[in-house]
């Protein structure tokens, strides 16, 4: 009986034994004995003063009856005990749920399928859920993971089917596996959905609203026109020719920018040519977009020749990755700036010594404690990643006091240490380089953000150029104060340069061809313009707008990659100063052909104009003398884009003799679009400046009315005052709310603003794939690599009601 109570009723039995021990304890001394002890002085004074107070009686012992214990457990019956030991059948809901959880665990944490067959994992599951039978690894690799991949694909296709725009933008990149599986091509999609208003938790795909439609629109899904219609202000024409009205109230909806990984294409043993890249991309776009009636839009990627050529074969528009463009500018500066390679070589040697030598690291730690410096280790950079070089220099400057003391103590001991001794100029150059590279690190982080869209390209590049120019002018002003000659100093070539208030330094450095090529690059025309630009900087920081992406002239013109670094003859400041570094970096930025195309491309400015966050500040980014002309040009470009994107006509216009004329105009538009394969600036301007080919009065009148309709839309939007928008999704919500007011303009704006700034998502796909394919997992099939990477990167798309097939 005692053994049973100890095994089955351990808590109650322990309480009973404790109470029994208290009951058998010797009784406390009586009051009389305590009084006698107090009279003999055996008690302290405090106790002697309270000796007349009767003692508190001990509490009665609690009852040990099992029936009086509220938390007592009921012993299981024999049938219940047998039921607990019975294993779940394969179709049991608990078994299916555990199978789904293990499948997600293997995909999310990039674990091997062999984990489920190990004894440790089986023991863990036997302890946690004894009734569960763990399926074999073959079930997860051949059944569970493919089923999970299929369900995620179906959910993404459902979201694509409800895309508000007819084009889906893509990002792509290439990567070669070191385990001999060949080259991979990543393909990601970016589009826009309209979801019901409410908190983010309530805006799942179940609340996606059906997109509006306009018949005959070949670029975007149709929207019910609010003002341009011959029969009704809200009516549009369906595909069957019958007018209909779209009744969804978009004022209570909000836009949600979606992104997903479509495919990790493995070329295997196939040659890595543009034709093979083109076949792989075309196959995936047909598989994902044709069933839901979508078309690929802009494609953001780096400047790899084979990849760019493949996009040309597929008729897709290539958009250079802004992060890649900024990286090329910084790399050009680091490799060609005078004495920069020697300085970085010395820095790397010092950092490597403290990383590989334990005595040197221990001595550095002691010096850090003595000087009260942070106990940080030095960082060794990766030469191909300039941001790691920045972090290496920042850490070295942080530990300057300890490094200088260490070098002073060991300079006489080792000749190598003396060679790697940093001078005062070296420390100054490192600090100046850090200040310079931080601007590009911030810009790169902004361009690589998940919420960064193409509209922030122009603000980012303009603010980056202004920052470099401000750093140079600040340093020049400091140098002027130190010179004995008022306002002049000697350069390396011995020529005197005077810095005036009109920015003459920059004008002297530019030739006529450079000024023509840079177009809209900001210049310091007057002091008042500098003040306006400064106010614009403050406004941008208050808006919380993050600078971002980059495109090419006409969204698709080719760019010459032969960018030559600046020469010393083109520079006018003394070498070794922050002003000289800033001037050299500014020349590298301006001489980059991709940056020059972005700043002279009207489509980029239109994208910025369509972003409500930057609309009111677009004129401040343009030189004052060209401001009015450029703004009119950008408005005309936007109007022409709307005319090309919405060539629909109403039922009353397609009658009698006018029907053939209208159809002829539609055929010519489609032919022009199919010949180019994309919407280009050349065709847009040709359509704008050329006279109509048809002489019939009805089509000309209709053309003018459509132009006036879109002109009114654009003018109303530009003149509408907006509140400062700081939320990253604010532009999307704004345009969704305007779908009923300016349907065509809102649809076109949502299409443009859904394009990402950089191909960072494709780079992350390869980082995930590198974690899936490891040295211990190099025999994994390419199909499983694609599925596991797809599930890992599309975690947000996994259905809540996930259901997997039963294990055999």
């Amino acid at each position: 009986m005692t053994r049973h109570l100890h095994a089955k009723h351990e808590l109650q039995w322990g309480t009973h034994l404790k109470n029994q021990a208290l009951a058998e304890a010797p009784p406390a001394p009586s009051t009389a004995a305590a009084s006698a002890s107090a009279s003999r002085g055996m008690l302290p004074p405090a106790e002697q003063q309270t000796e007349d107070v009767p003692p508190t009686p001990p509490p009665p012992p609690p009852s040990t009856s099992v029936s009086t214990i509220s938390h007592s457990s009921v012993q299981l019956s024999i049938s219940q005990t047998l039921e607990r030991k019975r294993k779940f059948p394969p179709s049991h809901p608990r078994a299916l749920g555990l199978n789904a959880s293990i499948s997600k665990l293997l995909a999310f944490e990039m674990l091997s399928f062999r984990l489920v067959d190990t004894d440790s994992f089986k023991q863990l599951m036997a302890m946690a859920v004894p009734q569960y039978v763990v399926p074999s690894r073959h079930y997860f690799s051949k059944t569970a993971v493919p089923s999970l991949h299929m369900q995620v694909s179906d959910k993404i296709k459902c979201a694509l089917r409800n895309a508000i725009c007819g084009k889906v933008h893509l990002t792509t990149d290439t990567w070669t596996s070191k385990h001999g599986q060949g080259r991979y091509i990543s393909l990601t999609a970016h589009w826009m959905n309209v979801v019901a208003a409410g908190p983010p938790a309530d805006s799942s795909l179940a609340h996606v609203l059906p997109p509006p439609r306009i018949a005959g629109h070949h670029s975007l899904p149709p929207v019910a026109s609010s003002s341009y219609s011959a029969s009704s202000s809200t009516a549009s024409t369906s595909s069957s020719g019958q007018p209909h009205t779209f009744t969804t109230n978009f004022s209570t909806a909000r836009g949600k920018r979606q992104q997903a990984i479509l495919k990790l294409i493995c070329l295997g043993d196939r040659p890595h040519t543009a034709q093979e890249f083109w076949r792989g991309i075309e196959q995936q776009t047909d598989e994902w977009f044709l069933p839901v009636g979508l078309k690929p839009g802009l494609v953001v990627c780096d400047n790899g020749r084979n990849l760019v050529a493949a996009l040309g074969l597929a008729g897709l528009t290539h958009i250079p990755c802004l992060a890649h463009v900024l990286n090329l500018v910084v790399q050009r500066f680091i490799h060609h700036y005078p004495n920069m390679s020697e300085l970085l070589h010395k820095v790397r040697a010092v950092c490597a010594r403290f990383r590989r030598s334990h005595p040197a690291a221990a001595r550095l730690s002691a010096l850090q404690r003595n000087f009260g410096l942070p106990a940080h280790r030095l960082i060794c950079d990766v030469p191909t990643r300039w941001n790691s070089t920045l972090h290496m220099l920042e850490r070295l400057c942080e530990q300057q006091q300890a490094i200088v003391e260490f070098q002073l103590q060991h300079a006489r001991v080792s000749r190598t240490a003396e060679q790697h001794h940093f001078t005062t100029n070296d420390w100054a150059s490192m600090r100046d380089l850090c200040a310079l590279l931080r601007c590009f690190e911030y810009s790169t982080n902004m361009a690589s953000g998940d919420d960064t869209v193409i509209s922030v390209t122009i603000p980012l590049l303009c603010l980056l150029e202004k920052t470099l120019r401000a750093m140079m002018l600040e340093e020049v002003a400091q140098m002027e104060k130190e010179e004995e000659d008022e306002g002049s100093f000697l350069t390396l070539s011995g020529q005197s340069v005077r810095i005036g208030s009109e920015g003459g330094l920059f004008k002297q450095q530019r030739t006529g061809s450079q000024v023509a090529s840079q177009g809209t690059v900001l210049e310091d025309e007057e002091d008042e313009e500098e003040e306006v630009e400064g106010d614009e900087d403050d406004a941008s920081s208050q808006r919380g707008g993050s600078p971002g992406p980059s495109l090419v002239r006409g969204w698709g013109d080719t760019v010459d990659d032969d960018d030559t670094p600046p020469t010393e003859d083109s520079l006018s400041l003394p070498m070794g100063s922050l002003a000289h570094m800033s001037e050299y970096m500014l020349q590298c930025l301006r001489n980059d052909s991709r940056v020059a195309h972005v700043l002279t491309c009207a489509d980029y400015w239109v994208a910025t104009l369509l972003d409500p966050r930057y609309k009111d500040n677009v004129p401040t980014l343009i030189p004052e003398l060209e401001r009015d002309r450029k703004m009119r040009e950008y408005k005309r470009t936007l109007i022409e884009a709307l005319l090309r994107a919405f060539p629909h006509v109403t039922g009353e216009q397609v009658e009698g003799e006018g029907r053939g004329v209208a159809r002829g105009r539609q055929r010519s538009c489609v032919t022009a679009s199919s010949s180019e394969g994309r919407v280009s600036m050349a065709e847009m301007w040709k359509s704008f400046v050329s006279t109509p080919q048809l002489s019939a009065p009805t089509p000309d009148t209709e053309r003018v009315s459509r132009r006036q309709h879109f002109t009114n839309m654009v003018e109303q939007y530009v003149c509408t005052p907006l509140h400062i928008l700081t939320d990253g999704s604010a532009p999307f919500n704004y345009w969704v709310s305007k779908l009923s007011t300016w349907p065509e303009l809102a649809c076109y704006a949502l299409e443009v603003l859904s394009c990402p700034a950089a191909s960072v998502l494709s780079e992350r796909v390869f980082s995930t794939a590198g974690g899936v394919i490891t040295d211990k997992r190099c025999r994994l099939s390419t199909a499983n690599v694609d599925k596991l990477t797809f599930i890992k990167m599309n975690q947000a798309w996994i259905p809540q009601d996930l259901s997997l097939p039963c294990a055999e």
Side-chain angles (χ1 to χ4, degrees):
M1 186 64 182
T2 302
R3 188 166 53 253
H4 171 76
L5 291 174
H6 181 72
K8 298 297 183 179
H9 311 284
E10 182 178 359
L11 181 61
Q12 295 82 353
W13 180 246
T15 304
H16 170 72
L17 294 179
K18 182 177 180 180
N19 295 335
Q20 186 177 7
L22 293 176
E24 295 177 357
S30 61
T31 305
S35 301
S37 300
S39 62
R40 291 193 297 269
M42 298 178 60
L43 295 177
E47 295 183 8
Q48 295 179 11
Q49 295 176 3
T50 59
E51 59 182 352
D52 296 335
V53 179
T56 303
S63 175
T64 60
S65 175
V66 177
S67 60
T68 61
I69 300 177
S70 59
H71 55 273
S72 62
S73 61
V74 181
Q75 185 176 359
L76 298 178
S77 63
I78 297 178
S79 59
Q80 292 175 339
T81 303
L82 294 177
E83 183 67 24
R84 291 187 62 180
K85 294 181 178 294
R86 186 177 302 170
K87 299 297 182 181
F88 289 147
S91 59
H92 195 276
R94 287 286 305 278
L96 296 177
L98 290 171
N99 292 342
S101 298
I102 295 176
S103 300
K104 292 188 289 186
L105 173 69
L106 296 175
F108 293 170
E109 303 302 327
M110 294 177 286
L111 301 175
S112 173
F113 291 119
R114 194 176 297 274
L115 173 68
V116 298
D117 288 343
T118 60
D119 295 337
S120 301
F121 185 81
K122 291 182 177 180
Q123 292 175 4
L124 172 65
M125 298 306 299
M127 181 63 65
V129 188
Q131 301 94 330
Y132 176 62
V133 179
V134 181
S136 65
R137 68 178 186 272
H138 301 290
Y139 164 76
F140 291 101
S141 62
K142 299 180 180 180
T143 304
V145 169
S147 176
L148 179 58
H149 176 270
M150 183 61 65
Q151 295 186 48
V152 175
S153 301
D154 294 340
K155 190 169 184 180
I156 294 175
K157 291 179 180 178
C158 179
L160 287 172
R161 187 176 297 107
N162 290 279
I164 191 172
C165 304
K167 288 186 178 181
V168 179
H169 303 298
L170 305 173
T171 67
T172 183
D173 205 346
T174 60
W175 172 68
T176 302
S177 173
K178 65 178 182 179
H179 297 286
Q181 292 184 329
R183 173 161 291 197
Y184 286 90
I185 304 175
S186 63
L187 197 64
T188 69
H190 305 259
W191 70 97
M192 192 75 64
N193 281 136
V194 179
V195 298
D202 297 334
S203 59
S204 60
L205 284 181
H207 297 81
V208 170
L209 300 179
R213 303 292 173 184
I214 286 182
H217 178 36
H218 68 273
S219 176
L220 302 172
V223 181
S225 178
S226 60
S227 58
Y228 176 68
S229 177
S231 58
S232 175
S233 60
T234 58
S236 61
T237 307
S238 63
S239 59
S240 60
Q242 300 297 328
H244 67 274
T245 303
F246 195 80
T247 59
T248 302
N249 184 12
F250 290 102
S251 60
T252 59
R254 64 187 185 89
K256 185 175 183 181
R257 184 168 172 261
Q258 307 280 21
Q259 60 183 18
I261 284 74
L262 301 183
K263 186 70 174 179
L264 187 62
I265 309 169
C266 180
L267 295 180
D269 298 333
R270 290 178 290 175
H272 303 163
T273 60
Q275 289 76 11
E276 293 295 337
F277 289 175
W278 166 53
R279 292 189 183 95
I281 294 176
E282 187 179 39
Q283 179 182 0
Q284 294 304 316
T285 54
D286 292 345
E287 177 181 348
W288 285 91
F289 299 154
L290 287 183
V292 294
L294 298 176
K295 295 180 180 180
L298 306 176
V299 183
V300 184
C301 63
D302 58 16
N303 300 313
R305 295 185 181 274
N306 289 348
L307 194 56
V308 173
L311 298 180
L313 292 175
L316 303 176
T317 304
H318 168 230
I319 304 302
C321 172
L322 181 61
H324 180 72
V325 172
L326 295 178
N327 174 70
L328 294 179
V329 173
V330 177
Q331 292 290 352
R332 190 177 302 113
F333 170 83
I334 292 177
H335 292 159
H336 296 93
Y337 188 77
N339 301 328
M340 183 58 64
S341 299
E342 292 77 4
L343 176 61
L344 293 179
H345 175 73
K346 187 187 300 185
V347 170
R348 294 185 180 108
V350 172
C351 294
R353 178 183 181 185
F354 287 101
R355 295 287 295 187
R356 67 172 178 263
S357 175
H358 179 72
R363 180 56 184 164
L364 180 62
S365 299
L367 292 174
Q368 289 173 343
R369 291 190 296 269
N370 294 340
F371 291 111
L373 298 174
H376 295 159
R377 299 183 64 188
L378 298 184
I379 300 175
C380 292
D381 71 331
V382 180
T384 57
R385 297 174 181 250
W386 63 265
N387 58 340
S388 64
T389 303
L390 171 61
H391 300 158
M392 176 183 66
L393 294 174
E394 288 179 335
R395 181 61 56 82
L396 198 64
C397 293
E398 176 191 84
Q399 304 295 330
Q400 177 181 354
Q401 196 173 4
I403 297 296
V404 170
E405 182 64 24
F406 180 88
Q407 290 182 340
L408 290 177
Q409 294 178 2
H410 295 78
R412 298 180 180 179
V413 179
S414 174
R415 180 176 300 177
T416 304
E418 185 177 358
Q419 293 176 354
H420 295 158
H421 180 78
F422 292 124
T423 63
T424 305
N425 292 334
D426 291 339
W427 288 110
S429 297
M430 284 188 282
R431 287 191 296 269
D432 293 343
L433 183 58
C434 288
L436 200 62
L437 294 182
R438 286 192 195 102
C439 302
F440 282 84
E441 184 187 35
Y442 177 82
S443 302
T444 303
N445 292 338
M446 289 293 99
S448 304
D450 292 335
D451 297 333
T452 304
V453 294
I454 202 169
S455 61
V456 295
T457 304
I458 295 297
L460 174 62
L461 293 178
C462 291
L463 295 179
L464 181 60
E465 183 183 2
K466 272 197 344 182
T467 303
L468 295 176
R469 185 158 60 305
M471 294 172 62
M472 181 171 58
L473 291 178
E474 182 180 0
E475 184 70 11
V476 168
Q478 185 67 23
M479 294 169 62
E480 286 182 336
K481 295 180 181 179
E482 299 175 356
E483 291 297 326
E484 296 180 356
D485 300 332
E486 296 180 358
S488 65
F489 57 91
L490 294 179
T491 63
L492 289 178
S493 59
Q495 298 178 355
S496 178
V497 180
R498 183 174 297 276
I499 307 299
S501 61
E502 297 181 358
L505 173 64
F506 306 103
K507 295 183 180 180
Q508 292 174 6
Q509 295 175 16
R510 295 184 180 182
T511 62
S513 59
Q514 288 174 333
V515 173
S517 64
Q518 290 168 6
T520 57
V521 176
L522 294 178
E523 297 181 358
D524 294 330
E525 297 293 345
E526 297 177 348
D527 291 348
E528 292 81 359
E529 185 177 351
E530 284 291 330
E531 295 176 1
V532 172
E533 291 174 346
D535 295 340
E536 188 274 331
D537 270 343
D538 298 337
S540 294
S541 61
Q542 293 174 2
R543 288 192 310 270
S546 53
S550 113
L551 301 192
V552 196
R553 180 178 307 177
W555 298 117
D557 289 357
T558 57
V559 181
D560 186 12
D561 293 339
D562 297 333
D563 299 320
T564 58
T567 60
E568 288 298 327
D569 296 337
S570 64
L571 306 177
S572 58
L573 296 175
M575 187 176 64
S577 62
L578 177 59
H580 188 270
M581 285 188 181
S582 302
E583 185 183 18
Y584 196 96
M585 181 69 84
L586 189 60
Q587 290 292 339
C588 291
L589 181 66
R590 288 173 172 175
N591 292 344
D592 189 89
S593 58
R594 303 165 194 84
V595 176
H597 276 276
V598 168
L599 294 176
T600 56
C601 174
D603 287 335
Y604 283 97
W605 291 89
V606 168
T608 306
L609 188 64
L610 289 174
D611 195 325
R613 296 173 296 180
Y614 313 119
K615 172 181 71 74
D616 296 334
N617 294 305
V618 169
T620 63
L621 300 176
I622 308 173
E624 186 175 2
L625 297 178
E626 301 180 355
R627 188 168 298 168
D628 295 338
R629 182 179 64 84
K630 288 292 184 181
M631 287 301 298
R632 289 194 298 268
E633 176 186 349
Y634 301 151
K635 291 178 184 178
R636 287 197 301 266
T637 303
L638 177 57
I639 294 170
E640 288 297 321
L642 293 174
L643 288 171
R644 294 164 62 86
F646 296 91
H648 57 280
V649 293
T650 59
E652 291 185 1
Q653 294 166 328
V654 186
E655 291 182 358
E657 186 175 349
R659 179 178 303 178
V661 174
R663 289 182 179 179
R665 180 177 296 274
Q666 283 187 342
R667 284 196 300 268
S668 63
C669 183
V670 172
T671 303
S673 176
S674 60
S675 63
E676 292 292 334
R678 55 183 179 269
V679 179
S680 63
M681 283 296 300
E683 290 296 327
M684 206 177 300
W685 280 108
K686 182 179 178 181
S687 174
F688 174 71
V689 299
S690 61
T691 57
Q693 299 294 329
L694 302 177
S695 58
T698 303
D700 292 343
T701 304
E702 187 271 342
R703 180 77 174 184
V704 173
S705 62
R706 290 180 62 241
R707 180 181 297 277
Q708 187 61 39
H709 166 66
F710 292 130
T711 301
N712 296 337
M713 267 189 190
V714 173
E715 291 295 339
Q716 290 176 11
Y717 164 67
V718 173
C719 297
T720 300
L722 300 176
H723 298 289
I724 296 178
L725 305 175
T726 57
D727 186 12
S729 60
F732 316 136
N733 299 337
Y734 173 82
W735 283 114
V736 168
S737 65
K738 296 298 181 181
L739 280 172
S740 301
T741 307
W742 307 317
E744 294 86 1
L745 180 61
C747 248
Y748 185 78
L750 288 172
E751 179 186 288
V752 173
L753 295 180
S754 62
C755 180
S759 59
V760 178
L761 189 59
S762 293
E763 296 284 351
R764 294 174 183 169
V765 172
F766 295 141
S767 299
T768 302
V772 173
I773 310 173
T774 60
D775 294 337
K776 295 184 178 180
R777 210 180 182 189
C778 58
R779 297 181 61 186
L780 197 65
S781 65
T782 57
N784 282 334
V785 171
D786 171 42
K787 292 182 176 62
L788 292 173
T789 306
F790 181 88
I791 297 171
K792 168 69 175 178
M793 295 298 297
N794 292 322
Q795 296 185 33
W797 295 98
I798 295 182
Q800 297 291 340
D801 54 345
L802 179 63
S803 178
L804 299 181
C806 302
E808 297 180 358

